Each structure stands twice: as structure tokens, then as C-alpha cells.
Amino acid sequence: MAEKLKLLVTGLNGVVGQALRPALEDRYILSSLSRSGVDGLPEERVFKANIADIDSLRPAFDGIDVVLNLAADGGMSSEEGMSAGWESMLENNIIGAYNVLEVANQARVSRVILASSGATANGYELEEPYKSLVSSEDVEIPESWDMVDEFSEPKPVSLYGVTKLFGEDIGRYYALTTPLSVINLRISSCGPVDEAGPGRGQANWTSHRDIQQLTVKCIEAPADLKFDIFWATSDNRKLFRDNSHAKKILGYAPQDGV
């Protein structure tokens, strides 16, 4: 029997971390890094650190195979949502992303998966036909529409989205200049309750079991997948965040949709 892969997750207590945890804990030797710690893991695999303090991160990376970086400010788990303050997002989303990649490279981690966000492209929802697709009003749905894929022009309309685009680009830099494999997962509407909300949720929803499946596929992708970006979405009727690239490259097969 093959030895279990050693996985370090930052931000495990967040909404996405909690959605992923059952699948990750079942499949890997799971460690956690966060400011306040987590319950339910062996003490030697719970690391308390500030992601903006590079030296405080190093002990958690020792012997780790893959890092999943969910730690951030400005997302679903943040009190102020995407309106979180610039100073906090600078520390957590920009300095933190650099620190995770740099320490992972120094520790000879094989792969880092960075949690990106649909906020990298939320500007599309200000335009038709996407404006109608995310509307909570009873509006006519277009017969067809162009999909927004990983290579479409970014359209952030929040500083949070900008910081996530930085994460994608610094991930590309590390993939090109170091042995690290870096995968960016553009997480869409994944909330604490595993069901699609009205309006935007009907187009952008990602079920818990679909994001679990896709994350596992990112963790276990072949070593020669050096860099990529994938949309994490379920197969929704109003879907425009294109998950076909993940299906083609990773064999992602969503089980859910609305």
C-alpha cells in the first residue's frame, strides 16, 4: 500500500477549508497552518503562524509533499467580504502568497495549489448576457452565450480580485523559475451550506463534493502539470465560468448542478 501523501492546508478553518476537510482528512496525512489553530488534528500537525511572517511558516513545511493555500482575506470567510481592508489583503493575499510559494520552494515541496477566485472575472457580470444569468429577478435567459474560460481577459471589480490575480501571476513565476508545480483553483460560489443560492449562485455554484473532487485531482495531477488555472464550478444550467478545461486536463467530472 502506497504511503499517504503529506498535505499542508493553510486556512483550513475557512468556508472552503471546512467543505474540503472530510475528503482531505480521509485521503492524506493532513496538517494545518493558521493563526488560531484547528480542532481535531494531532497536535504535532497543527501549526500556528502568521502567513505574512515568512519565518513563522517554515516549521509547518518540513516533509510536506503538497501545500493547499486557502488563507486569505476578502473572501467568503471574511467579516467584510470583498470589502476587506487593503492592508489586511496586502498581508494575507499578496505577501502571504509569496511567502507560501517561497517557503514551499525552499522546503522542496512538489506542488502548491493556490485558491484563486471568481472575483478575478466578476466584471463580466456587469455586462449582458452574464448580467441576466446572475440576476435574481425573473428575466429572460439568453439562448446561448460565450463562456468565460481561464484565458479570457481578467475583469476584477474589487481589490480582492486584483490580489487573486497577483496570486495567479506569482504562481506562474514560481512554476517557470523553480521546480515547483503551481495550480490555481478559481473557486466560485461555495458556501457553508451546500446548496446554490439565488441569483449568482444559480450560475456560479460549486457543490462541496464537486470542489472536493476537483481539489483531489489537482493534488494528485501528474508531476508534469507544471502550471495551470482551473475554474471550480458545478455543471449549472446558467454556467458561464467554463469548467471544460478542468474536465479535459484533469478528468474532472462534476456530479452536481442547478
Side-chain angles (χ1 to χ4, degrees):
M1 185 175 176
E3 188 176 334
K4 283 188 174 183
L5 182 145
K6 294 177 181 175
L7 175 70
L8 172 66
V9 181
T10 72
L12 187 62
N13 276 338
V15 170
V16 174
Q18 290 300 297
L20 290 173
R21 182 170 175 173
L24 302 181
E25 209 164 2
D26 183 58
R27 199 171 182 94
Y28 310 115
I29 299 173
L30 183 63
S31 297
S32 166
L33 186 149
S34 62
R35 288 191 184 201
S36 55
V38 301
D39 295 328
L41 287 179
E43 188 178 343
E44 66 273 14
R45 288 195 262 126
V46 177
F47 296 89
K48 294 183 182 180
N50 179 355
I51 199 169
D53 176 4
I54 193 166
D55 290 329
S56 74
L57 304 186
R58 298 185 194 281
F61 285 67
D62 188 33
I64 292 296
D65 298 308
V66 176
V67 174
L68 172 60
N69 182 45
L70 302 176
D73 197 9
M76 186 80 72
S77 300
S78 303
E79 287 183 15
E80 298 174 272
M82 291 184 194
S83 300
W86 167 247
E87 290 296 331
S88 178
M89 287 195 292
L90 174 64
E91 285 196 0
N92 290 285
N93 304 5
I94 290 183
I95 296 172
Y98 165 79
N99 287 347
V100 166
L101 288 162
E102 179 60 23
V103 175
N105 181 49
Q106 292 175 9
R108 295 194 169 96
V109 170
S110 63
R111 171 168 289 151
V112 174
I113 299 163
L114 297 173
S116 187
S117 171
T120 55
N122 275 355
Y124 284 92
E125 298 175 16
L126 304 178
E127 313 162 2
E128 294 292 357
Y130 313 105
K131 188 175 180 179
S132 291
L133 293 173
V134 301
S135 176
S136 54
E137 306 296 321
D138 185 17
V139 297
E140 189 173 340
I141 302 304
E143 289 185 11
S144 64
W145 52 86
D146 292 333
M147 299 297 282
V148 177
D149 67 20
E150 294 82 352
F151 311 104
S152 301
E153 178 189 358
K155 292 193 177 183
V157 288
S158 64
L159 284 173
Y160 174 70
V162 173
T163 66
K164 288 301 183 178
L165 286 167
F166 170 86
E168 293 181 2
D169 281 345
I170 197 170
R172 191 187 301 271
Y173 163 76
Y174 270 87
L176 287 169
T177 61
T178 77
L180 273 178
S181 162
V182 183
I183 297 175
N184 295 275
L185 203 49
R186 285 187 177 175
I187 299 169
S188 287
S189 298
C190 178
V193 179
D194 191 16
E195 59 186 38
R200 298 179 70 247
Q202 300 297 304
N204 300 336
W205 182 53
T206 314
S207 73
H208 288 189
R209 67 175 173 174
D210 282 348
I211 198 167
Q212 288 173 358
Q213 178 201 151
L214 182 54
T215 301
V216 166
K217 288 185 178 297
C218 288
I219 291 168
E220 299 179 9
D224 62 1
L225 184 62
K226 198 70 169 63
F227 176 85
D228 220 325
I229 302 169
F230 299 109
W231 275 112
T233 49
S234 294
D235 274 344
N236 309 312
R237 184 172 61 90
K238 298 180 184 179
L239 182 70
F240 60 90
R241 294 175 172 178
D242 193 355
N243 60 23
S244 63
H245 185 58
K247 292 175 178 177
K248 178 182 177 182
I249 301 298
L250 297 174
Y252 174 48
Q255 303 297 298
D256 298 305
V258 288

